[in-house]
Amino acid sequence: MYILLNDDKQLIITEHTSIYQNENLIDQIFFYIPSIYKEHDLSDFDITLQYVTPANEVINEKLVKTGLYKDKLEYVLPVDTKISKCAGVVKCSLKIKKETIEKDKKIIYKMNTSEININILPSTNYNDFIDKDENGSGGNNEGCSCDGNIVVEF
């Protein structure tokens, strides 16, 4: 999946990839960010992906810069079980921030982007989220329910 940050702070998915529930470290989400924004060199800013899962869990992940592509800074997020834990819509935005000290004062530069939605499709491998006991039958059913809530049976 490829996501572009425009000059107006809008995130746009330019190439879509299907992501399924409980996928882990196979796909990657690439983010392309202008190297210069309003005269600020963004190459030394921290880029954090903020997202809310379908289970209403808020997660912040610092993105790793992998290089430069067509005058855009390229960052990558491996698709892991944090972002793909539950099927449904994951709401995402970026936080771009840099802290400096000038004349003994701490200065914080920061900006936020628009929000985009990434759809996590339901898994067809039911064993990904149903533990089995030693007899091979269903176990504790720990996982996500259809309404996005986490279900844990005691």
Side-chain angles (χ1 to χ4, degrees):
M1 179 174 290
Y2 298 98
I3 300 173
L4 175 68
L5 175 62
N6 278 342
D7 290 335
D8 62 355
K9 299 189 233 177
Q10 295 295 310
L11 292 174
I12 297 172
I13 297 174
T14 60
E15 185 175 318
H16 188 271
T17 301
S18 295
I19 299 172
Y20 288 89
Q21 182 178 8
N22 291 316
E23 287 189 330
N24 193 40
L25 302 177
I26 299 296
D27 288 311
Q28 297 176 324
I29 301 174
F30 290 91
F31 293 86
Y32 295 96
I33 297 171
S35 54
I36 304 293
Y37 181 82
K38 302 221 183 230
E39 301 178 16
H40 293 281
D41 180 1
L42 298 182
S43 64
D44 58 348
F45 279 63
D46 291 326
I47 311 294
T48 303
L49 176 65
Q50 302 176 311
Y51 59 92
V52 180
T53 68
N56 286 326
E57 182 180 7
V58 177
I59 297 175
N60 292 294
E61 291 196 61
K62 187 174 178 183
L63 298 178
V64 177
K65 184 173 22 175
T66 57
L68 196 63
Y69 178 76
K70 294 185 179 180
D71 298 329
K72 304 273 189 215
L73 300 169
E74 181 182 72
Y75 293 82
V76 67
L77 175 74
V79 174
D80 64 9
T81 52
K82 282 191 256 178
I83 198 167
S84 68
K85 183 175 184 176
C86 292
V89 175
V90 176
K91 297 176 182 180
C92 306
S93 66
L94 294 178
K95 182 170 123 180
I96 301 169
K97 181 179 176 183
K98 177 174 90 169
E99 295 182 14
T100 63
I101 296 176
E102 294 177 18
K103 298 180 184 177
D104 296 329
K105 288 188 177 184
K106 185 177 184 178
I107 299 175
I108 300 172
Y109 299 89
K110 65 180 178 177
M111 79 175 193
N112 295 306
T113 67
S114 68
E115 184 177 270
I116 59 166
N117 294 329
I118 296 175
N119 291 317
I120 306 299
L121 302 170
S123 175
T124 56
N125 184 359
Y126 306 113
N127 293 327
D128 280 348
F129 51 92
I130 299 176
D131 291 338
K132 293 188 177 195
D133 60 21
E134 55 275 352
N135 297 324
S137 60
N140 64 12
N141 284 339
E142 185 175 347
C144 295
S145 68
C146 293
D147 62 2
N149 293 319
I150 304 272
V151 176
V152 180
E153 292 181 13
F154 291 91

